[in-house]
Each structure stands twice: as C-alpha cells, then as structure tokens.
C-alpha cells in the first residue's frame, strides 16, 4: 500500500546538548549520518515531494541532504528551506509554507535526529491518519524512563488532550510514560494557519510543533495518537549517551536480521556491522569484529576476533584470521588472510590464495593458490598462480619519485628476504635465493641468488 505523501525533515537544530562543532544530524551511527538514516526511511515511503529544513551549519546539512537523497531517488528533486533563527520546531515547519503553497493531502514530518523509525511504522501512522480522516496524527510510545521527551496527556475519556514538554511539565505530568515520538502526519489544508497561531509562551520561549495538535483539537478537528509498541524506534538523539544508545540499537537490529538469515555470531553484543553490509549463510563471526561500508561476505566464511573489513568483498569459504584489516579489497573463494594482515587499495586474492602474519598487500593481486605467509610487503605487484613468497620479501615499489610495478609469473618461488626492486619481472617458474636483491628481470625458470655472507674474522 502506498499513500501519497509529502515529507518534511526537521534538521535545522544545532544539537547543543551534543557539545560538538558538527551539526547534530550529521553525526554518524552504524555507517550513516543520523540524517542519512532518516533520508533512507523517507525514500522508502516514495513521497511525492520531500523538503528539508536546515539552519545551523546550513550549507553542510543542505549539501549532505541533497547528495544523500540523490543516491536513493535521483528522479525526485528534493527541496531545501532555511530557518535562519532556531525558534522551535513549529517555527521550523512554518519555513516550508512558501514551497508547499497550495499543496494538499498529507504532510509527514520527521526529525533529523530520530533515525531508528522504520518505514513500516510510518506507513501504519499514515494509514491510521488517512483512514480516520484526522487533521493530525502523532506517534507515541511508552518509555520506562521518558526523561527529555514530550509527554502525551490524555483526558478522562482516554482521548488526546495535549503534549507537554519535559521542561514545562508538572511532577505529575513528568510521571506520564507515554511519550511523543516527534513524528506527525498532518492534513496540509489549514495547517499553516494553525502553525501561525502557536505561541512561544513556555519554558524555552520556543514555538512547539506539538502545540499544533492541541490547537487543532480545540478547534474541534480530529487528532489521533498511534501508539507504537517498540519504544526503541522512537529514540531521538540529543546527547552523546543517546548517540551511543542509538548506535547500539542499530547494531542489534542488523545482527538480529543477519542471524535470522543464517549467520552465526559468537558474541552479538560486540559485532559492529554497518547498515549496508551483507553476509551469507553459515558464516561465523567471532567477537569484536567490525564489518563496515559496502562489505559483502559470502557463505561459510570465518571472520575471527578483531578483524575489520571496510568495503571488502569476500567469496565463499574465506577465512579472515584475528586482527586482520581488509579495506577496499577482494578475497575470492577459499582464500585466507592473517592473523595481523593488512590488505588495502584493491588488493585481490584469487581463489585459494593466502597471506599470513604481518603481510601488507596494497594494490596487488595474488593468483590462484599463491601464498605470502610471513612478514612481507607486496605493493603494486601482480603475482601469478601458485607463486610462493618467502618470509620477509619486499617489493621495493617506490624510487623516491614514482611507484613501479612488480610482476611475478606463475609458479615462481621468491626466497626469504628478497628485495624486488621495481619495475621488475620474475619469469614463470623462476627462483630467487634468500636475501637476493633483484634489480633486473629474471628469465623464466632461472635461479638468481644474492651475495652470501662470508666469514670476515674470528670474534674471540
Ligand atoms: C521534540 C518534541 C518532543 C518529542 C521529541 C522526540 C518539540 C517542541 N518537542 O523534542 O515532544 O518528545 O522531539 O524526539 O517539538 N529543529 C529545527 N529547528 C528548531 C528546533 C528544532 O529544525 O528551531 C529540529 C532539530 O534539528 C531536530 C528536531 O527539530 O531534528 C527536533 O528538535 P529537538 O530540539 O531535538 O526537539 P526535542 O527537544 O528532542
Ligand atoms: Ca530531539
């Protein structure tokens, strides 16, 4: 079911309680900004128009909003309006009057600082709003500790009366555990007239958007409250502690989804999996693993303790051993890395290739079955199939001015501690001796060997 809706996202606030130089809505959790998560949800509702209200650090927020929206729905040109002075949430929404002039139907207002709300929850809010013909519908939830939220006050008959902000609430009102989630569906017809009538006669001297509901009700227009059973979704971020709580909620949500899809987590509480990551069935994730960005992991992999994968692409049956870092790199089926390996900038391990302890691989490929198991640096190198790299081998890829490539053809064996001074090519089946300094190309099947140490004198 889809309901034609216009969406307004309130994002002008400074977020003073975060004590940050960065605007609140651009703080990140679970791989996206707070605003980014809200935009995802908004886009999932396929609105006919979307408008953001920006103010504090307006340029940065505007730019982030427009860019993020374009990644999700490039066909809808989003609108942005400025709120020059932050005079409250109702004042913020009034800023959209000029661009929404003449618009009819339903307006859904979202807060840029409440990223956990699900699209299906908002659909339910919209459905009730439309079915009941309400002038306004707010989402509520019950929180054992409602501190900081507006409280829903109901009359003797249980019907909606008004919303009171924490700072204006009497002790009895503060004891109410039904909170205002801060998202509303409004009938656009007549909305801006009501917003214009809201006063700022309250503890914060601000124009409160929740007051619109009381004014509508007083004018005899129907107002609905949709109570949502999952209070966690209503969480807003005003403080660093709430930022951490929201990040944890995202993490739990993502890990729960993955477990439901057949992924094992040895310790779900310490699995840091960002929103866009994908993991295949029967993969096992050990404690304290970070899986970030656009990482895709195949089936039956093992990701051991302390690993961090960022924009990594793993096939099936891949093993990432403890404390390995994989950035922007590809690990094909049956490969293994680590412990303590570092792969970055388009490293690519083809099938069954392996890198071991303290090996760094940068912008290099290892052919099928190739191995570099100990203490090596492979930079700007292309290794063929079944190449073996001895311990301590270094590709000397930088001459002080430029980077150069090293090519090692199929089946070559590089002795321990070889220096490959690039540009250089080691031919198919060739071998280098321990400690060789290779400055010229090695022909196929040749053996090159360095200068062996000789006894110079006796030390006693
Ligand atoms: C608001 C609600 C409160 C609700 C809570 C849910 C009001 C007065 N109170 O409180 O009832 O329980 O959300 O999280 O609305 N903003 C602007 N311009 C402004 C002020 C705020 O754009 O002048 C934006 C902020 O960037 C933010 C959103 O509006 O995204 C909410 O503002 P915030 O100050 O966080 O409101 P709360 O005190 O959390
Ligand atoms: Ca808030």
């Amino acid at each position: 079911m889809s309901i034609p809706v216009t969406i307004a996202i309130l994002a002008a606030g400074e977020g003073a309680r975060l004590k940050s130089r960065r605007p609140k809505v651009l703080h990140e959790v679970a791989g996206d900004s707070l605003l980014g998560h809200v935009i995802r949800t908004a886009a999932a509702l396929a609105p006919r128009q979307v408008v953001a209200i920006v103010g504090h650090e307006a340029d940065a927020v505007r730019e982030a909003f427009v860019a993020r929206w374009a990644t999700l729905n490039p066909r809808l040109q989003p609108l942005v309006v400025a709120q020059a002075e932050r005079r409250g949430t109702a004042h913020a929404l009034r800023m959209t009057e000029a661009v929404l002039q003449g618009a009819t139907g339903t307006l859904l207002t979202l807060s840029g600082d409440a990223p956990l709300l699900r699209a299906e929850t908002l659909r339910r809010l919209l459905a009730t709003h439309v079915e009941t013909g309400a002038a306004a519908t707010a989402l509520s939830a019950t929180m054992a500790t409602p501190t900081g939220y507006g409280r829903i006050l109901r009359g003797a008959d249980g019907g909606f009366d008004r919303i009171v902000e924490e700072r204006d609430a009497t002790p009895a009102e503060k004891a109410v555990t039904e909170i205002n989630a801060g998202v509303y569906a409004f009938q656009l017809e007549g909305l801006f007239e009501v917003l214009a009538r809201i006063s700022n006669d309250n503890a914060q001297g601000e124009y409160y958007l929740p007051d619109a509901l009381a004014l509508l009700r007083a004018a005899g227009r129907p107002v609905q409250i949709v109570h949502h059973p999952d209070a966690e979704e209503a969480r807003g971020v005003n403080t660093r502690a709430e930022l951490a709580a929201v990040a944890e909620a995202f993490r739990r949500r993502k890990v729960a989804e993955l477990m439901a899809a057949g992924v094992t987590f040895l310790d779900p509480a310490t699995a840091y999996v960002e929103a866009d990551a994908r993991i295949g069935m029967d993969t096992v994730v050990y404690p304290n693993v970070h899986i970030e960005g656009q990482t895709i992991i195949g089936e039956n992999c093992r990701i051991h303790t302390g690993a961090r994968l960022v924009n990594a692409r793993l096939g099936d049956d891949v093993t990432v051993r403890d404390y390995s870092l994989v950035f922007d790199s590809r690990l094909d089926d049956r490969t293994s890395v680590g412990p303590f390996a570092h792969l970055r900038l388009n490293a690519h391990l083809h099938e069954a290739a392996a890198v071991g302890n303290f090996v760094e691989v940068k912008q290099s490929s290892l052919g099928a079955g190739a191995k570099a198991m100990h203490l090596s640096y492979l930079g700007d190198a292309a290794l063929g199939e079944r190449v073996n790299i001895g311990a301590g081998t270094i590709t000397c890829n930088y001459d002080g001015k430029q980077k150069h490539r090293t090519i090692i053809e199929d089946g070559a064996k590089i002795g321990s501690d070889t220096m490959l001074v690039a540009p250089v090519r080691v031919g198919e089946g060739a071998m280098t001796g321990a400690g060789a300094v290779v400055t010229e190309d090695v022909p196929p099947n040749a053996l090159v060997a360095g200068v062996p140490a000789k006894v110079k004198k006796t030390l006693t």
Side-chain angles (χ1 to χ4, degrees):
M1 174 204 50
S2 117
I3 295 165
V5 63
T6 300
I7 296 181
I9 302 177
L10 275 58
E14 176 184 352
R17 288 165 278 181
L18 275 182
K19 302 204 169 47
S20 173
R21 296 191 205 288
R22 202 194 300 188
K24 170 162 75 175
V25 296
L26 298 187
H27 277 258
E28 290 191 2
V29 291
D32 209 340
S33 63
L34 297 176
L35 181 60
H37 287 289
V38 174
I39 294 170
R40 278 173 202 252
T41 312
L45 296 172
R48 48 185 181 189
Q49 188 52 268
V50 60
V51 52
I53 300 102
V54 302
H56 178 73
E57 294 283 345
D59 292 343
V61 177
R62 174 189 285 111
E63 201 175 300
F65 168 67
V66 171
R68 194 72 183 82
W69 184 269
T71 64
L72 294 163
N73 184 354
R75 278 168 315 191
L76 177 62
Q77 190 67 43
L79 303 172
V80 183
V81 298
Q83 183 193 20
E85 274 179 277
R86 263 63 65 199
R87 294 164 69 189
T89 45
H91 180 255
L93 191 59
R94 285 188 73 183
M95 301 299 117
T96 66
E97 184 169 7
V99 296
L100 296 183
Q101 219 160 39
T104 55
T106 304
L107 177 72
L108 176 69
T109 68
L110 303 176
S111 265
D113 68 349
L116 283 162
L117 280 162
R118 294 177 195 264
E120 63 228 54
T121 306
L122 299 175
R123 278 194 202 101
R124 208 163 67 82
L125 175 77
L126 290 168
T128 303
H129 177 74
V130 170
E131 279 159 22
T132 60
T137 307
L139 192 74
S140 78
T142 303
M143 287 190 184
T145 313
T147 315
Y149 291 86
R151 310 295 206 282
I152 306 277
L153 304 183
R154 293 176 180 269
D157 61 349
F160 173 75
D161 181 28
R162 65 194 171 91
I163 294 169
V164 64
E165 293 304 302
E166 168 101 17
R167 285 168 65 178
D168 300 294
T170 63
E173 289 165 347
K174 279 187 187 147
V176 171
T177 55
E178 187 181 9
I179 62 95
N180 168 30
V183 298
Y184 322 92
F186 289 109
Q187 264 178 33
L188 273 160
E189 292 85 350
L191 173 63
F192 292 103
E193 286 77 18
V194 171
L195 296 183
R197 285 180 23 230
I198 291 173
S199 97
N200 65 350
D201 181 15
N202 53 52
Q204 301 184 75
E206 286 188 359
Y207 298 90
Y208 293 161
L209 185 52
D211 286 354
L213 281 74
L215 286 178
L216 285 164
R217 193 195 59 86
R221 312 238 351 238
V223 172
Q224 290 287 332
I225 303 294
V226 171
H227 183 266
H228 188 55
D230 180 5
E232 182 172 271
E233 269 185 61
R235 275 180 181 279
V237 172
N238 297 313
T239 63
R240 300 270 177 174
E242 284 165 343
L243 191 67
V246 163
E248 195 203 327
F250 267 115
R251 207 153 67 223
R252 264 190 281 114
R253 186 187 277 187
K254 180 74 183 180
V255 169
E257 274 169 30
L258 290 165
M259 290 197 290
V263 180
T264 293
F265 286 87
L266 297 189
D267 183 13
T270 63
Y272 300 81
V273 188
E274 290 187 350
D276 290 337
R278 303 210 303 251
I279 308 182
M281 209 184 275
D282 292 321
T283 285
V284 180
V285 179
Y286 285 69
N288 214 1
V289 161
H290 293 251
I291 298 173
E292 304 175 20
Q294 310 292 316
T295 292
I296 300 176
I297 299 176
E299 296 189 0
N300 207 36
C301 295
R302 286 189 174 254
I303 315 297
H304 288 265
T305 299
R308 179 157 176 237
L309 311 180
V310 183
N311 303 322
R313 190 168 284 238
L314 277 60
D316 298 331
D317 303 298
V318 173
T319 303
V320 177
R321 296 204 170 81
D322 309 56
Y323 302 101
S324 294
L325 313 176
V326 183
F327 300 106
D328 307 300
S329 291
R330 261 177 78 177
L331 304 176
D332 291 352
D333 296 351
R334 298 191 296 115
T335 52
S336 70
V337 304
F340 300 101
H342 183 189
L343 279 65
R344 61 192 180 93
L345 253 181
N346 297 318
H348 185 179
L349 271 54
H350 291 261
E351 193 167 351
V355 302
N357 314 261
F358 305 103
V359 173
E360 178 179 355
V361 183
K362 186 217 88 176
Q363 204 144 48
S364 294
S365 61
L366 277 72
K371 289 191 164 44
M373 298 311 287
H374 326 272
L375 299 158
S376 279
Y377 173 59
L378 300 172
D380 306 298
L383 280 56
E385 295 181 5
R386 293 171 277 82
V387 164
N388 190 75
I389 302 289
T393 294
I394 306 288
T395 54
C396 311
N397 58 335
Y398 187 52
D399 62 11
K401 294 195 187 78
Q402 282 182 45
K403 300 277 170 70
H404 299 283
R405 289 183 62 72
T406 299
I407 314 262
I408 306 176
E409 294 180 352
D410 293 351
K413 290 192 164 50
I414 307 301
S416 294
D417 203 27
T418 296
M419 302 291 127
L420 296 156
V421 184
V424 72
R425 173 185 293 264
V426 178
E428 188 167 345
M431 224 171 144
T432 72
V437 178
V438 181
T439 57
E440 288 169 14
D441 289 357
V442 179
N445 301 311
L447 168 69
V448 295
V451 182
K454 295 217 167 57
V455 175
K456 301 287 186 193
K457 62 174 181 179
T458 307
L459 293 174
T460 49

